[in-house]
């Protein structure tokens, strides 16, 4: 579905504004407006009905799009010359999390994958807790390399940016001194 162009959006806005002004002119109890409206009432009445039908149709379509459109947050769409492929964002993130958890000494791994515009590259943010307290920078680099390799193989587009938040597993024990 193509996005609404600026011209179409402007045209809808102008029709809505003109219709609102015409309805206000008919309903507002001022003599100068009534004198101006009475000679053109048959034409104005048809115009108001057509304008109302257009505005109603536009808003029904907008409501339908809002209700039935799939959430982009759950899917990643890769577009190419041959068509587009919709991939489950949750499935890709799950695969990446499982691979990182299996290959590295970390736990509580979370990942957030997003595509840059035009599907030219991906970005991923990985959050994890290290089971080792030493060499966090080196472990973070290895996790970055793993994430880059897995996503490049799964999506077929380069990974432009990998951000790894690696935390130590030093959690304070309640009541400890």
């Amino acid at each position: 579905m193509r996005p609404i162009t600026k011209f179409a959006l402007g045209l809808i806005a102008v029709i809505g504004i003109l219709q609102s002004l015409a309805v206000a002119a008919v309903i507002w109890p001022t003599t100068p407006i009534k004198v101006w409206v009475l000679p053109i009432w048959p034409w104005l009445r048809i115009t108001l009905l057509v304008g109302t039908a257009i505005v109603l149709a536009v808003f029904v379509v907008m409501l339908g799009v809002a209700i039935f459109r799939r959430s982009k947050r759950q899917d990643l769409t890769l577009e190419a010359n041959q068509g587009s492929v919709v991939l489950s964002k949750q499935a890709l993130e799950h695969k990446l999390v499982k691979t990182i958890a299996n290959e590295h000494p970390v736990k509580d791994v979370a990942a957030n994958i997003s595509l840059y515009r035009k599907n030219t590259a991906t970005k991923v943010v990985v959050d994890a807790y290290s089971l080792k307290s030493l060499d966090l920078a080196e472990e973070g680099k290895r996790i970055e390399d793993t994430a880059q390799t897995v996503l490049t193989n799964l999506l077929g587009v380069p990974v432009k940016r990998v951000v790894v938040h690696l935390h130590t597993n030093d959690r304070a024990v309640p009541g400890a001194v």
Side-chain angles (χ1 to χ4, degrees):
M1 187 170 122
R2 290 176 30 183
I4 296 176
T5 63
K6 287 183 181 180
F7 175 75
L9 196 58
L11 185 62
I12 292 168
V14 167
I15 289 172
I17 290 169
L18 290 176
Q19 183 199 6
S20 299
L21 292 175
V23 168
V26 170
I27 294 174
W28 195 261
T30 9
T31 306
I33 294 176
K34 282 190 176 183
V35 170
W36 179 75
V37 168
L38 284 177
I40 60 168
W41 175 245
W43 177 80
L44 184 61
R45 183 175 168 199
I46 292 171
T47 305
L48 286 176
L49 289 173
V50 169
T52 301
I54 291 171
V55 170
L56 177 67
V58 167
F59 283 108
V60 166
V61 168
M62 288 172 69
L63 180 63
V65 167
I67 292 173
F68 297 114
R69 186 179 71 182
R70 292 183 70 174
S71 173
K72 291 184 177 191
R73 190 151 170 68
Q74 301 301 321
D75 300 326
L76 298 175
T77 304
L78 296 173
E79 295 181 10
N81 294 338
Q82 296 84 13
S84 62
V85 175
V86 178
L87 302 171
S88 169
K89 179 180 176 184
Q90 184 179 10
L92 291 170
E93 289 171 349
H94 182 72
K95 173 70 174 168
L96 181 61
V97 164
K98 289 296 180 187
T99 304
I100 290 172
N102 288 337
E103 294 184 11
H104 301 282
V106 292
K107 69 176 189 174
D108 297 335
V109 182
N112 185 9
I113 300 170
S114 57
L115 284 172
Y116 282 106
R117 251 183 201 188
K118 307 275 185 184
N119 302 320
T120 56
T122 58
K123 172 188 167 185
V124 63
V125 177
V126 178
D127 198 10
Y129 287 91
S130 176
L131 297 176
K132 298 190 297 184
S133 297
L134 303 174
D135 298 328
L136 291 179
E138 184 64 34
E139 189 63 39
K141 179 67 176 149
R142 286 194 297 268
I143 291 172
E144 182 180 327
D145 293 340
T146 300
Q148 193 160 11
T149 303
V150 168
L151 285 179
T152 302
N153 290 339
L154 286 175
L155 296 175
V157 294
V159 178
K160 189 163 190 146
R161 186 169 174 208
V162 178
V163 177
V164 178
H165 298 280
L166 193 58
H167 309 282
T168 60
N169 198 22
D170 300 334
R171 294 184 181 168
V173 178
V177 178

